[in-house]
Amino acid sequence: LRTHRPDDLAALAHHFARSGRAANAPLAVDYALRAAELAERRYAHDVAVGLIEQALHAHRAAVADRGAAPDDTVALFVRLLGAQLRAGATGAARDTRQRAVDLAVRAGRDDLLATVYGAWTEPSPWRSRLEGFFDRTALARLERLAADRALEGATRARVLQVLVDAVAAEEVPRAVEAAHAQLALARAEGEPRLLASALMTSAKLLPHEVQG
């Protein structure tokens, strides 16, 4: 297949994942992620979800100590989370995020935790209620990360966006303050998608009378 049909990414991912050899896991993951990216370009988000789940399974099956070096595993969880949301599978995305959060917490890695919480920031006038209701522990983590100036600016901006959505219904002043901080960071970073997300976050906090 690699010689005669090198562009058949889904088939290559399938066969490498089922080869029964741990040494083939990196190829299984690589081909599955490339096939998932192609599927998403065609708006086949449900297909992408299946391929990323396949990549995650191949990766975890080849890792002896799942708690060691969690970076790659968290990155795969983040990819899966985004694909699930784009496929409309909000409940599954919430479960995926919790698995990634648990892994980052066990590893004591705030940088990974921030990446997980900020994994869904597509600029749009709507946003899947991925958060649901944050418990006090999760909200405390979000607040700690949002205040951590050691975090890379874009990551911190995404965390602030999640914090806004988590508290907007009950604590509007707190949400407005976080939204202003997100917008300032986005402007400093200058990345268009990040700025679009920040502007949308601020716009969603406007009173309905002003929006009309």
Side-chain angles (χ1 to χ4, degrees):
L1 279 172
R2 293 184 78 188
T3 301
H4 298 290
R5 293 165 56 188
D7 295 328
D8 196 343
L9 302 177
L12 286 162
H14 173 88
H15 287 291
F16 275 115
R18 289 157 180 79
S19 69
R21 296 183 59 200
N24 283 333
L27 286 170
V29 171
D30 178 59
Y31 279 118
L33 293 180
R34 288 165 61 187
E37 183 178 358
L38 183 61
E40 291 203 302
R41 288 179 184 173
R42 296 170 176 168
Y43 302 100
H45 299 301
D46 54 339
V47 175
V49 167
L51 287 163
I52 298 169
E53 286 176 336
Q54 181 177 300
L56 182 60
H57 178 75
H59 168 71
R60 301 195 84 187
V63 176
D65 182 0
R66 294 187 177 184
D71 300 68
D72 291 341
T73 306
V74 168
L76 287 169
F77 275 132
V78 166
R79 286 284 299 271
L80 178 58
L81 166 64
Q84 287 170 328
L85 282 166
R86 286 184 284 275
T90 309
R94 187 180 292 112
D95 291 341
T96 296
R97 186 180 66 177
Q98 190 57 53
R99 292 168 68 192
V101 164
D102 291 344
L103 181 58
V105 169
R106 286 197 302 270
R109 294 279 301 277
D110 271 2
D111 58 330
L112 291 181
L113 191 59
T115 298
V116 173
Y117 276 130
W120 175 245
T121 51
E122 293 290 336
S124 61
W126 56 270
R127 189 172 189 270
S128 297
R129 288 296 297 174
L130 176 61
E131 296 81 350
F133 294 97
F134 272 102
D135 59 33
R136 291 183 179 180
T137 301
L139 190 56
R141 288 176 189 147
L142 267 179
E143 290 174 329
R144 185 183 76 246
L145 293 169
D148 186 356
R149 297 182 181 276
L151 284 176
E152 188 261 336
T155 300
R156 186 166 167 244
R158 295 186 184 100
V159 170
L160 282 160
Q161 179 173 335
V162 180
L163 179 60
V164 170
D165 284 337
V167 302
E170 290 86 19
E171 301 181 51
V172 174
R174 192 173 170 198
V176 170
E177 181 182 0
H180 288 168
Q182 179 198 358
L183 186 56
L185 282 169
R187 284 175 169 155
E189 291 293 317
E191 199 278 310
R193 288 175 63 84
L194 196 67
L195 182 57
S197 291
L199 289 169
M200 194 61 67
T201 300
S202 294
K204 287 187 297 184
L205 294 175
L206 290 172
H208 289 294
E209 295 78 6
V210 176
Q211 292 183 24

